[in-house]
């Protein structure tokens, strides 16, 4: 503009005017766009994720001298179906064991034998002729002061469905209302569920109450039967951390690789009416299962 003979002041004024004109045109375009946006449906906003914290914790326990808990010479089955034949198996305060094996081989039955829910007592079923048709035998031995924390995959079986979670804990452990709510809150149980009858809770909510019940019992050994069935990822991680920090023994039946790996459990397999340690880690076990499955499919073909 100066080359055209305009002064600096004239050039400056012209530039300001051009800028103002552009701004005015842009304003009209933005206004038109705004009108179009007003006619469009409202944008769907992402909900901010609610803060969610789960903290399972098992209280420290005193070390018990072995033998702590074991089955000796146990044979057990239902009817003529023998699940275990003359097995010896036990856990102590340093145990970290995950039991694996196909469905139906007796993994949950083994846990129930260890907690005394079913007993390997000798008895006979006699037919028309006087010979034993089936025999269950063996012995369960446990430390006289042992406290076992038991978690069943059917969590509601150990709970009183007619009580609320708060009432259940207050009655069983003689703690006050606020302490019960505090304990339930740490497991991730929503506040509104604290005062709902247990029978009306979801499977995941019942599992949290059951885990809270287990922890308040101050166990020396924790025995878990499929504990992650109704838990979300955050809760599984919290349970794994609680097991890692626990100074007592742990025995579990689970299909959850995440829990087994995080807790560094030793694998034992139930098969052929016996139980034995797996030679290797979970990856080794998976590879063996896949190999056996492949061989079985090849035979079928």
């Amino acid at each position: 503009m100066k080359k055209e003979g305009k002064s600096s002041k004239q050039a400056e004024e012209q530039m300001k005017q051009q800028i103002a004109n552009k701004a005015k045109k842009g304003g009209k375009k933005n206004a038109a766009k705004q009108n179009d946006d007003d006619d469009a449906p409202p944008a769907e906003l992402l909900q901010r994720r609610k803060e969610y914290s789960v903290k399972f914790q098992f209280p420290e326990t005193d070390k018990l001298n072995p033998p702590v808990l074991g089955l000796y010479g146990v044979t057990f089955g239902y009817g003529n179906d023998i699940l275990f034949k003359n097995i010896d198996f036990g856990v102590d305060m340093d145990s970290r064991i995950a039991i694996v094996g196909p469905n139906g081989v007796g993994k949950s039955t083994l846990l129930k034998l260890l907690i005394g829910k079913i007993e390997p007592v000798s008895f006979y079923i006699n037919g028309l002729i006087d010979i034993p048709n089936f025999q269950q035998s063996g012995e369960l031995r446990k430390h006289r002061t042992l406290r076992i924390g038991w978690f069943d995959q059917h969590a509601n079986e150990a709970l009183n469905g007619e009580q609320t979670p708060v009432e259940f804990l207050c009655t069983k452990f003689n703690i006050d209302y606020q302490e019960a709510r505090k304990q339930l809150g740490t497991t991730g149980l929503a506040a509104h569920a604290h005062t709902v009858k247990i029978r009306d809770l979801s499977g995941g909510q019942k599992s949290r109450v059951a885990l809270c019940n287990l922890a308040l019992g101050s166990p020396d050994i924790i025995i878990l039967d499929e504990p992650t069935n109704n838990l979300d990822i955050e809760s599984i991680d919290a349970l794994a951390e609680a097991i890692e920090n626990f100074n007592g023994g742990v025995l579990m039946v689970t299909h959850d690789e995440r829990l087994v790996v995080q807790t560094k459990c030793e694998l034992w397999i139930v098969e052929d009416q016996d139980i034995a340690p797996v030679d290797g880690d979970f990856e080794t076990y998976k590879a063996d299962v896949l190999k056996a499955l492949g061989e079985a499919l090849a035979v079928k073909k």
Side-chain angles (χ1 to χ4, degrees):
M1 283 184 276
K2 285 183 180 180
K3 287 179 181 178
E4 292 173 1
K6 296 178 181 178
S7 66
S8 295
K9 187 175 182 181
Q10 287 174 324
E12 193 174 315
E13 287 296 329
Q14 189 172 339
M15 283 298 298
K16 285 181 180 178
Q17 187 61 44
Q18 287 178 358
I19 292 170
N21 290 340
K22 284 183 180 179
K24 191 173 181 181
K25 287 179 182 178
K28 288 179 180 178
K29 286 182 181 177
N30 289 337
K33 185 176 184 301
Q34 181 64 46
N35 290 335
D36 290 341
D37 290 344
D38 289 342
D39 293 335
E44 190 173 323
L45 299 178
L46 291 173
Q47 295 288 330
R48 181 181 177 184
R49 186 173 181 184
K50 191 176 180 181
E51 289 291 332
Y52 180 59
S53 176
V54 185
K55 180 70 175 178
F56 296 132
Q57 185 173 0
F58 303 120
E60 283 199 12
T61 184
D62 296 328
K63 289 288 184 183
L64 302 177
N65 293 324
V68 177
L69 179 65
L71 298 171
Y72 298 86
V74 168
T75 295
F76 188 87
Y78 299 98
N80 290 319
D81 182 18
I82 299 177
L83 295 175
F84 300 105
K85 191 171 183 180
N86 196 32
I87 66 165
D88 295 316
F89 176 74
V91 292
D92 57 33
M93 299 293 286
D94 297 319
S95 295
R96 287 288 186 281
I97 297 174
I99 298 175
V100 295
N103 290 333
V105 293
K107 300 187 297 295
S108 294
T109 298
L110 181 70
L111 299 190
K112 290 176 182 177
L113 285 166
L114 281 164
I115 66 171
K117 194 169 184 178
I118 51 179
E119 297 181 9
V121 201
S122 296
F123 71 90
Y124 296 89
I125 302 173
N126 293 322
L128 294 175
I129 54 176
D130 191 22
I131 58 171
N133 190 29
F134 179 68
Q135 179 182 359
Q136 293 182 172
S137 61
E139 184 182 4
L140 167 67
R141 300 177 198 164
K142 63 179 182 179
H143 195 283
R144 61 183 179 82
T145 65
L146 175 65
R147 294 187 302 268
I148 299 175
W150 164 246
F151 181 94
D152 195 331
Q153 57 181 309
H154 308 291
N156 57 327
E157 289 184 6
L159 308 173
N160 184 343
E162 296 303 314
Q163 292 181 310
T164 67
V166 170
E167 290 170 344
F168 176 74
L169 296 181
C170 288
T171 303
K172 184 170 182 179
F173 298 105
N174 194 28
I175 57 178
D176 62 37
Y177 180 86
Q178 290 302 328
E179 179 61 20
R181 296 207 67 163
K182 176 185 173 184
Q183 294 294 331
L184 291 166
T186 61
T187 67
L189 185 67
H192 74 271
H194 295 187
T195 53
V196 174
K197 283 192 175 181
I198 292 173
R199 70 183 183 195
D200 296 323
L201 297 178
S202 68
Q205 290 169 330
K206 287 176 182 174
S207 291
R208 296 176 198 285
V209 179
L211 285 167
C212 194
N213 171 51
L214 187 157
L216 286 171
S218 300
D220 303 306
I221 287 180
I222 295 169
I223 299 180
L224 309 168
D225 187 10
E226 297 292 0
T228 65
N229 276 2
N230 295 304
L231 298 181
D232 53 29
I233 291 174
E234 290 86 354
S235 299
I236 294 172
D237 288 340
L239 178 59
E241 184 179 352
I243 289 172
E244 284 186 282
N245 295 331
F246 180 53
N247 69 330
V250 178
L251 174 65
M252 69 175 84
V253 167
T254 181
H255 289 94
D256 196 306
E257 179 181 354
R258 186 188 190 94
L259 185 63
V260 174
V261 172
Q262 287 187 3
T263 54
K264 301 178 181 66
C265 277
E266 179 185 0
L267 295 182
W268 284 63
I269 186 168
V270 173
E271 59 183 357
D272 301 327
Q273 301 175 342
D274 199 4
I275 180 168
V278 173
D279 186 14
D281 58 13
F282 201 90
E283 289 299 319
T284 305
Y285 171 67
K286 277 203 306 182
D288 290 344
V289 169
L290 290 172
K291 181 181 177 183
L293 181 60
E295 290 173 352
L297 289 173
V299 169
K300 285 184 178 180
K301 288 179 180 179

